Amino acid sequence: MCGIVGAVSTRNIVPILVQGLQRLEYRGYDSCGVAVHEASLGRQPTGGLRRARSTARVAELLEQVAHDDLQGATGIAHTRWATHGAPAVHNAHPHFSHGCGEAPAEAARAGHVALVHNGIIENHEELRAQLQARGYVFSSQTDTEVIAHLVDSLYEGDLFQAVRGAASRLRGAFAIAVIHKDEPHRVVGARAGSPLVLGVGEGENFLASDAMALAGVTDQIVYLEEGDLVDLQLGRYWITGPEGQPLPAGSRPVRTVNAHSGAAELGPYRHYMQKEIFEQPRAIGDTLEGLQGIAPELFDGAGLHGQSGAAAWRVFKEIDSVLILACGTSYYSGCTAKYWLESIAGIPTQVEVASEYRYRTSVPNPRTLVVTISQSGETADTLAALRHAQGLGMRHTLTICNVATSAMVRECALAYVTRAGVEIGVASTKAFTTQLAGLFLLTLTLAQSKGRLTEQSEEQYLKAMRHLPAALQAVLALEPQVISWAEDFAKKENALFLGRGIHYPIALEGALKLKEISYIHAEAYPAGELKHGPLALVTSSMPVVTVAPNDELLEKLKSNMQEVRARGGVLYVLADARTNIESSEGVHVIRMPEHYGPLSPLLHVVPLQLLAYHTACARGTDVDKPRNLAKSVTVE
């Protein structure tokens, strides 16, 4: 969601801060800003804190910064996705504290403390009342301004101690970066529940919420852990625990992270979402690269925890059920995996919406494998659900994740890291299909550990998986036919998606994609549920998308399609070969290149992604940055 960039240097770091914000735009935001310490550059030895803020895009902020000649060697910057307070300049970060009893100045230069914040402070109302009683005047509706005033109220000449004291009084999730007018070469950061990384440079240091923000600036990255405080100064830094205690040597290693800025280049594509849809053959190929056979060491998390294949094998032998925790698109990949795990591996599987799981009373089973799924590995609800499950005594944990250095990978005992590459578009595409690939591998490995996978079956499944990139290329060639459908959908305000069995979650994912980026209301149902309610919605103005693979449920699905046609509904059918479903009046058919058995969901979802994309283009919406949504949801 929100993005943070900070720096302490001897050069003007404003271009670096703004460039970092541009690289974080994919996370979603509705305001942005930058603050610097003017004295840090030596241009104005008596200068103080100065800022610029905007509710436009970062490109407009860059113009504002140039117009105001904003320069400094120490500074912080931020992109905000609104939670407390509307998207408005007075609510945008960085927030200033002007001191106790001082009214906020109208000028951009005046603050004692400047602060940026990701997350949500749950006790902000209580703290606000206390600070107002002391004479602090608030100029925003945000929970963030509370932190700025709290730091100011605790400041006694040492910014680190003031931030440490403030962090100890905050409840909720936060990553913060703070500068003070009296310390021109210092940035202090703190992390609790929201990601924050330290970038180590030559004589300069950086903070960011994502290593990508520092691409091209430094590739030396330290991933801060829960409760860490970090003190950045020229050419040196310190990391401590929440009480200010030194950390054991080597506990926060410097890693070389190749977050190349080229990964965020659009190239010949119109939008990142389109680029990422067409990158799926490559993403699947990279995710499965070097796959020779099914083995537990596939899930050792690249050795991040010192695990071995033998350790994974023992876990897989011991567990007797699977609990999948995820949100949004990742939840639908989990729903798909449930069919695989139960039919192929014979393991009872439960799929839970992560944001609901930890708030209900459940029955823990210590022999359960808890599987989390997340593109970023920083999804707040999924992390909280994981910790809740661990707190209930379920110690066997595994994550399917796209970021090897994420909190999810670090906190799970086992991991399968997909290799989708950076996903910029808010609506997930290639991360979803690579998650499915990882989950299918997990299914086969668990089936093997339970004695349910023969050598012949293993070879057949592996052959099918290796063919996936070529099969996906063939599906992408259907784009012109999907565009013709999109021209019809762009005129609608409602749509219905139907699937049966393992393709019901794919219908759910198709409906989610359409509503996310085109703003068309879309719902998905198991096709057999039509007559139990949704059929009342079907009219000639309600397009009904049907996923129709050539499987054992095909004849049942054809009956459901007839129910739609009998009510005047118009069908848009993704049909496999030899399904005997032909185009006719009120029935539009796109023929899939081949039937792909259990892996069919990975192919059928691609036309649904293209349908959502081209419908959104036809309606003129902001495809990569849909309203009200963010890419990495790091708050509850």
Side-chain angles (χ1 to χ4, degrees):
M1 298 179 72
C2 308
I4 287 175
V5 190
V8 176
S9 182
T10 56
R11 56 175 167 157
N12 177 29
I13 45 78
V14 171
I16 293 173
L17 296 178
V18 175
Q19 183 183 65
L21 294 186
Q22 289 175 321
R23 290 184 178 142
L24 295 177
E25 284 188 289
Y26 75 95
R27 297 165 70 101
Y29 68 103
D30 40 42
S31 65
C32 53
V34 59
V36 297
H37 200 305
E38 289 188 306
S40 62
L41 197 57
R43 296 173 70 223
Q44 298 188 36
T46 60
L49 304 183
R50 192 175 174 207
R51 69 182 171 187
R53 300 183 292 177
S54 173
T55 54
R57 290 299 177 191
V58 175
E60 282 75 15
L61 176 67
L62 181 59
E63 294 177 3
Q64 183 180 339
V65 163
H67 179 271
D68 295 344
D69 191 27
L70 194 67
Q71 296 188 45
T74 298
I76 52 178
H78 192 263
T79 52
R80 174 179 184 254
W81 189 82
T83 53
H84 298 77
V89 171
H90 68 277
N91 286 326
H93 300 209
H95 281 283
F96 277 178
S97 176
H98 303 270
C100 180
E102 297 183 31
E106 293 299 324
R109 184 192 294 115
H112 294 185
V113 170
L115 179 143
V116 293
H117 162 230
N118 291 353
I120 291 178
I121 304 304
E122 295 173 356
N123 61 332
H124 71 98
E125 292 179 342
E126 172 190 340
L127 293 172
R128 179 186 289 258
Q130 294 171 5
L131 290 161
Q132 286 175 327
R134 294 185 56 182
Y136 282 92
V137 179
F138 286 76
S139 59
S140 77
Q141 289 79 50
T142 67
D143 53 343
T144 301
E145 191 180 4
V146 169
I147 315 174
H149 289 319
L150 183 59
V151 170
D152 180 80
S153 73
L154 297 172
Y155 186 77
E156 295 180 350
D158 187 329
L159 182 59
F160 180 83
Q161 294 301 329
V163 171
R164 184 176 70 83
S168 68
R169 296 181 58 182
L170 302 177
R171 293 200 310 269
F174 58 87
I176 58 176
V178 194
I179 58 178
H180 194 280
K181 72 177 183 65
D182 293 339
E183 302 185 58
H185 301 291
R186 194 179 200 184
V187 174
V188 176
R191 140 163 212 182
S194 289
L196 195 64
V197 303
L198 162 68
V200 182
E202 294 288 337
E204 57 188 7
N205 292 302
F206 306 90
L207 276 181
S209 49
D210 188 323
M212 179 183 281
L214 305 179
V217 178
T218 180
D219 62 358
Q220 299 300 293
I221 302 296
V222 178
Y223 288 88
L224 302 178
E225 299 285 350
E226 191 75 2
D228 281 357
L229 296 159
V230 60
D231 188 347
L232 277 64
Q233 298 185 29
L234 282 175
R236 53 185 182 171
Y237 65 87
W238 294 265
I239 303 174
T240 77
E243 301 303 321
Q245 71 274 23
L247 297 174
S251 62
R252 303 292 183 269
V254 178
R255 303 176 186 271
T256 300
V257 178
N258 296 313
H260 295 302
S261 58
E265 292 175 0
L266 190 56
Y269 296 96
R270 184 176 174 187
H271 298 95
Y272 284 109
M273 183 179 179
Q274 183 186 31
K275 177 189 177 188
E276 288 152 10
I277 289 171
F278 278 84
E279 285 178 339
Q280 287 177 112
R282 190 274 309 157
I284 292 291
D286 287 351
T287 296
L288 302 177
E289 185 179 10
L291 181 65
Q292 298 300 318
I294 302 304
E297 54 261 31
L298 291 169
F299 298 90
D300 69 0
L304 289 175
H305 306 284
Q307 296 283 353
S308 67
W313 181 263
R314 285 194 296 271
V315 169
F316 294 160
K317 282 287 190 181
E318 183 177 336
I319 62 103
D320 59 17
S321 63
V322 172
L323 169 63
I324 296 176
L325 303 172
C327 300
T329 285
S330 296
Y331 171 75
Y332 295 146
S333 71
C335 291
T336 306
K338 175 183 173 71
Y339 287 89
W340 289 333
L341 287 162
E342 296 195 338
S343 64
I344 298 173
I347 297 178
T349 301
Q350 183 179 358
V351 188
E352 294 264 5
V353 175
S355 58
E356 289 293 317
Y357 168 70
R358 66 182 174 124
Y359 291 118
R360 71 175 185 83
T361 301
S362 58
V363 181
N365 173 9
R367 293 170 63 87
T368 293
L369 177 64
V370 179
V371 178
T372 64
I373 311 172
S374 171
Q375 187 282 134
S376 68
E378 304 288 351
T379 308
D381 286 318
T382 308
L383 279 169
L386 167 65
R387 292 163 187 161
H388 177 69
Q390 291 169 324
L392 293 175
M394 292 189 281
R395 59 189 176 88
H396 300 312
T397 57
L398 182 151
T399 189
I400 307 289
C401 181
N402 193 42
V403 182
T405 52
S406 65
M408 206 82 71
V409 173
R410 293 196 301 272
E411 294 188 25
C412 284
L414 304 172
Y416 188 83
V417 179
T418 59
R419 297 174 64 187
V422 176
E423 190 176 64
I424 304 295
V426 167
S428 181
T429 52
K430 62 179 181 175
F432 177 73
T433 48
T434 54
Q435 285 171 357
L436 290 177
L439 288 162
F440 193 75
L441 282 177
L442 176 63
T443 298
L444 298 183
T445 306
L446 289 172
Q448 183 187 71
S449 71
K450 302 299 183 185
R452 294 176 59 94
L453 185 69
T454 65
E455 289 186 10
Q456 182 181 9
S457 295
E458 177 181 345
E459 184 54 39
Q460 289 174 344
Y461 285 132
L462 288 174
K463 182 179 179 181
M465 295 193 79
R466 295 184 186 112
H467 182 59
L468 275 171
L472 285 166
Q473 288 286 11
V475 175
L476 288 167
L478 299 172
E479 184 181 32
Q481 298 177 59
V482 178
I483 291 173
S484 69
W485 281 15
E487 292 169 354
D488 293 341
F489 274 69
K491 306 166 190 173
K492 308 297 184 181
E493 293 302 327
N494 301 280
L496 196 62
F497 287 69
L498 302 177
R500 296 206 71 142
I502 199 169
H503 291 85
Y504 167 50
I506 299 308
L508 286 165
E509 172 63 7
L512 176 62
K513 285 291 154 287
L514 189 68
K515 71 181 81 170
E516 277 182 315
I517 61 171
S518 74
Y519 314 146
I520 292 173
H521 171 247
E523 293 188 61
Y525 285 91
E529 285 294 293
L530 264 177
K531 53 187 167 292
H532 297 289
L535 201 57
L537 297 172
V538 173
T539 67
S540 59
S541 62
M542 168 81 84
V544 180
V545 180
T546 307
V547 183
N550 190 7
D551 60 15
E552 66 277 5
L553 291 173
L554 177 62
E555 294 307 317
K556 297 288 185 183
L557 183 64
K558 286 181 178 179
S559 298
N560 302 140
M561 292 165 57
Q562 288 300 320
E563 294 170 353
V564 172
R565 287 300 299 131
R567 275 76 180 177
V570 179
L571 287 165
Y572 294 79
V573 186
L574 293 173
D576 282 347
R578 297 185 297 278
T579 55
N580 296 320
I581 301 173
E582 305 295 336
S583 294
S584 60
E585 184 178 356
V587 181
H588 307 274
V589 178
I590 291 178
R591 190 80 56 198
M592 297 289 286
E594 57 185 309
H595 178 56
Y596 224 60
L599 288 168
S600 175
L602 280 86
L603 302 187
H604 274 87
V605 75
V606 174
L608 300 181
Q609 295 169 347
L610 289 169
L611 176 62
Y613 171 73
H614 286 292
T615 301
C617 288
R619 288 169 69 95
T621 62
D622 191 341
V623 172
D624 288 330
K625 303 182 185 73
R627 68 189 181 201
N628 305 331
L629 300 180
K631 181 64 182 173
S632 181
V633 184
T634 54
V635 297
E636 184 177 358

